[in-house]
Structures are given as C-alpha cells and as structure tokens.
Amino acid sequence: MNECYYDKRMDFFYNRTKTDTADEWTGPQLIGVLCFGTFFCLFIFISNSLVIAAVVKNKRFHFPFYYLLANLAAADFFAGIAYVFLMFNTGPVSKTLTVNRWFLRQGLLDTSLTASLVNLLVIAVERHMSIMRMKIHSNLTKKRVTFLIISIWAIAIFMGAVPTLGWNCLCDITVCSSLAPIYSRSYLVFWSVLNLVVFFIMVVVYIRIYMYVQRKTNVLSSHTSGSISRRRTPVKLMKTVMTVLGAFVVCWTPGLVVLLLDGLNCTDCGIQHVKRWFLLLALLNSVMNPIIYSYKDDEMWATMKRMICCSSEDKSQERRSSRIPSTVLCRSTDISGHYIEDGIIQGTICGKGDLGDKGNA
C-alpha cells in the first residue's frame, strides 16, 4: 500500500523531483518581475472592467454574442486575480507552501484557462447558429445565455479542482511531474491534449464559418441594396472573434506543449528553462484581449472612449462649477442614442477623437 504525503510541504516534492523553483530570482530581478507582473495585472483589471461596463451600458451590446464577450472579459479579469496570487506564491516561496495552498495556486490558473476556452467554444456555437442563418445575432434568450455562462464557470471550477479531488500523485510520488510536482503525469497529458484538441476544433470551425460568411457576403452584396456597413457587420464580428481566438491559441499553445512534454516525462527537453517565459506569454493573452475588442470593434471602442471621456469631463466640470455657470460636458449625454451612431460613423465622441477606419480592418 502506497504512503500518502498530504501533510508534507512543497519543498519535499520539489526536492524529490529536482524541480527548479527559481532560487536565483532574488533582489533586483525579483523586484523587476513583480513590478512587471503588477503593471500588467492592473491593466487586465482596468481594461476588462471597461469591456464589461461597455456591454452593460450600451444597449446595442445587449445580444448573446456580446454577453459572451463580456464573460470572456470576466474570465480574463479572473486570470488577473490568479496571476496576482501566483506572483506572491512563486519562486523561492514555492517550497514553503502547503499542499492545499499550492493546489489553490494552480487551480486558479487552470480555472481561468478553462473558463476562457469553454467561453470561446460557446461563442463558436453562437456564431454558427447566427451566421448559418445570415443573421448578425442568434436568437438565444437571456435565460439561455445566463444558463450557458453559469455552465461555463461550473465546468471551469470543476476542471480547476480535478487534481485536488484526487487526480494527483500524493499517494504515488513515482508518477509526479517535474513542472507541477504534485500533479500526476497522466493528468498533465490529459489536460494538455484535451486543450490542444479543443484549440484545433475551434480553429477549424471558425475558419469554416469565416469562409462561409465571406462567400455569402460576396454573393448577396450584388443583390441587396443595404448599406455596405450593414453587410460587413457579420464579417467584422467574425474578424474580432477569430483575432481573439488566434491570440489565445498563440499565447497558450507553447505552455500546453511544455506540459505535454513534462507529462510524457521528457527529461532532455529543457522545459525548466522556458516554463516561466511561457507563463508570461499566457499572461499577455489577458492583456491583449481588451485591446483586440477595442481595435476590431469600432462601437466597442467608441463606448469605452465615451465612458472615459465623459468621466474625465464630469470631474473637470465639478472642479469648474463654482466659476463657470454652464458647460456642455458631452454631446452624447444631451442628445438621443441616434447621435451615438452618428458619432461612431463620423469618429466624434464627446467632441473629440478620430476612430477612422480602424474597426473595418
């Protein structure tokens, strides 16, 4: 009967598997890493909060696609929390952690990855439902979208907790991995292969949908009298989704391949030297997504810019209210929603800013 090591600290497992815990990351180097990570985590919190607020504020975003996009931003926000927890529980600190605290550290990262991955898969289904009917948005009700979002997080939390629930090597340390010294190598193989297969499936689905949209749009454009902007809307949404998916695959695939190699017990692959850099690459994915939303979707950019612009002018007006009797803060607060549409087309939000043709890229 195998002996279990639930009461051991992580130094026991790290020493046994000869895992590098970056003892050399001390002094200025450690401070630099913490400052770098803190800056990007703050950006993740602020930018993804803006995306969620934009979806809530702008009634034009009250559709299934944008609800799911907001949930993807929530997953990135959660990833920021996971990275903050990781920053203060990594390096030399790793060896001092209890088993449960280490499980929590890794579980947060696994949960954030699963939430993003499943959310992208659900968006693929939503896009398929709408695009095959040549509609901009699907007919999913708010109740169904709410159920889908709850299901996404339920699956993510479960997958993040699987090692804690028993699929680990605490009772059989001969099968412990190197990168994750209390994870079973079989679990790493399962985890990485599952995610890579889902990556491949989503890429194939999105490419197929995109080709269908392009073909149908080209055929219909010569037979319809609608505006060019309206005919291009499904294509623009697909470009946004495919850019997000592409960034996700590029940022996460190297790390998953490293986990797969570790699960296959590849001792000559040099995975210890690249693990932390691939983790930083995964962190950049949560930084890139809000930028992609604002760059590829001109109305998302307009809404986010309007919120920032009007907020700053509101504060400026409060400071000047005792000296200036009347000031127009922002045209969009005094004119109907029709102006918002005109503002997006003309590139004028709160009286300044040029959107250009950025959203049509």
Side-chain angles (χ1 to χ4, degrees):
M1 182 176 180
N2 293 333
E3 181 182 358
C4 295
Y5 298 92
Y6 293 103
D7 58 339
K8 297 290 185 179
R9 287 191 174 270
M10 289 305 300
D11 58 343
F12 171 81
F13 300 97
Y14 278 118
N15 292 335
R16 191 185 183 285
T17 58
K18 299 179 181 180
T19 302
D20 176 21
T21 56
D23 288 325
E24 73 277 8
W25 281 38
T26 57
Q29 190 175 17
L30 180 60
I31 294 175
V33 171
L34 290 177
C35 291
F36 179 83
T38 300
F39 171 78
F40 280 107
C41 286
L42 286 175
F43 181 84
I44 289 171
F45 293 144
I46 295 172
S47 58
N48 284 287
S49 295
L50 278 174
V51 172
I52 296 171
V55 173
V56 173
K57 184 179 180 63
N58 192 336
K59 292 184 178 179
R60 292 188 175 189
F61 295 149
H62 291 185
F63 293 97
F65 172 78
Y66 286 104
Y67 291 145
L68 295 171
L69 204 63
N71 192 50
L72 189 59
D76 286 327
F77 188 96
F78 183 83
I81 297 175
Y83 291 129
V84 169
F85 190 84
L86 174 65
M87 278 194 305
F88 294 98
N89 292 276
T90 191
V93 181
S94 297
K95 288 187 175 182
T96 66
L97 299 178
T98 63
V99 167
N100 289 334
R101 192 172 182 85
W102 196 93
F103 272 136
L104 176 61
R105 189 189 81 173
Q106 298 304 122
L108 291 174
L109 292 173
D110 294 346
T111 299
S112 65
L113 169 61
T114 305
S116 298
L117 184 63
V118 178
N119 205 97
L120 282 170
L121 187 60
V122 172
I123 290 177
V125 175
E126 190 274 341
R127 287 293 83 198
H128 187 275
M129 292 172 57
S130 57
I131 294 301
M132 292 307 169
R133 296 180 176 87
M134 287 309 295
K135 294 182 179 180
I136 298 176
H137 299 291
S138 66
N139 294 324
L140 287 174
T141 63
K142 288 186 177 181
K143 288 184 178 180
R144 290 182 178 178
V145 174
T146 302
F147 173 77
L148 287 174
I149 291 175
I150 293 174
S151 299
I152 288 170
W153 285 101
I155 293 172
I157 293 172
F158 173 75
M159 291 302 296
V162 165
T164 310
L165 297 175
W167 200 345
N168 54 60
C169 63
L170 293 177
C171 294
D172 187 6
I173 57 177
T174 60
V175 298
C176 289
S177 69
S178 175
L179 294 180
I182 56 176
Y183 276 13
S184 171
R185 288 197 298 269
S186 61
Y187 172 75
L188 289 187
V189 172
F190 162 78
W191 170 257
S192 54
V193 169
L194 175 64
N195 284 281
L196 290 172
V197 169
V198 175
F199 282 3
F200 178 76
I201 292 174
M202 286 195 298
V203 169
V204 171
V205 169
Y206 277 121
I207 291 176
R208 181 180 179 183
I209 294 176
Y210 184 74
M211 293 176 63
Y212 177 84
V213 170
Q214 287 282 44
R215 185 171 63 252
K216 285 294 184 180
T217 302
N218 293 334
V219 171
L220 294 176
S221 61
S222 60
H223 300 286
T224 58
S225 59
S227 67
I228 296 176
S229 174
R230 183 172 182 82
R231 289 199 301 267
R232 285 181 178 174
T233 300
V235 179
K236 289 165 62 179
L237 291 181
M238 283 306 303
K239 285 183 177 181
T240 300
V241 175
M242 291 188 68
T243 304
V244 171
L245 176 62
F248 187 82
V249 171
V250 169
C251 290
W252 280 99
T253 298
L256 291 173
V257 171
V258 165
L259 289 178
L260 178 59
L261 293 175
D262 187 28
L264 296 175
N265 200 24
C266 180
T267 56
D268 300 323
C269 297
I271 56 179
Q272 292 289 346
H273 303 294
V274 297
K275 63 177 183 179
R276 61 179 68 96
W277 305 114
F278 287 165
L279 182 61
L280 289 176
L281 181 62
L283 168 64
L284 287 178
N285 178 242
S286 297
V287 175
M288 292 168 59
N289 281 343
I291 299 175
I292 295 172
Y293 304 149
S294 59
Y295 183 80
K296 301 297 291 185
D297 192 320
D298 48 1
E299 185 154 353
M300 176 68 73
W301 166 247
T303 304
M304 293 170 65
K305 188 175 181 180
R306 186 168 63 253
M307 288 190 299
I308 298 173
C309 172
C310 293
S311 175
S312 61
E313 292 206 8
D314 284 342
K315 293 180 180 178
S316 176
Q317 171 66 10
E318 290 176 2
R319 290 194 299 266
R320 293 181 296 172
S321 60
S322 59
R323 293 175 291 157
I324 303 177
S326 177
T327 302
V328 178
L329 300 180
C330 177
R331 291 172 62 188
S332 64
T333 61
D334 300 326
I335 304 178
S336 67
H338 177 69
Y339 170 74
I340 298 176
E341 180 178 0
D342 294 339
I344 295 171
I345 297 174
Q346 298 172 7
T348 306
I349 300 298
C350 294
K352 56 185 177 181
D354 185 16
L355 296 178
D357 294 328
K358 165 170 73 100
N360 295 328

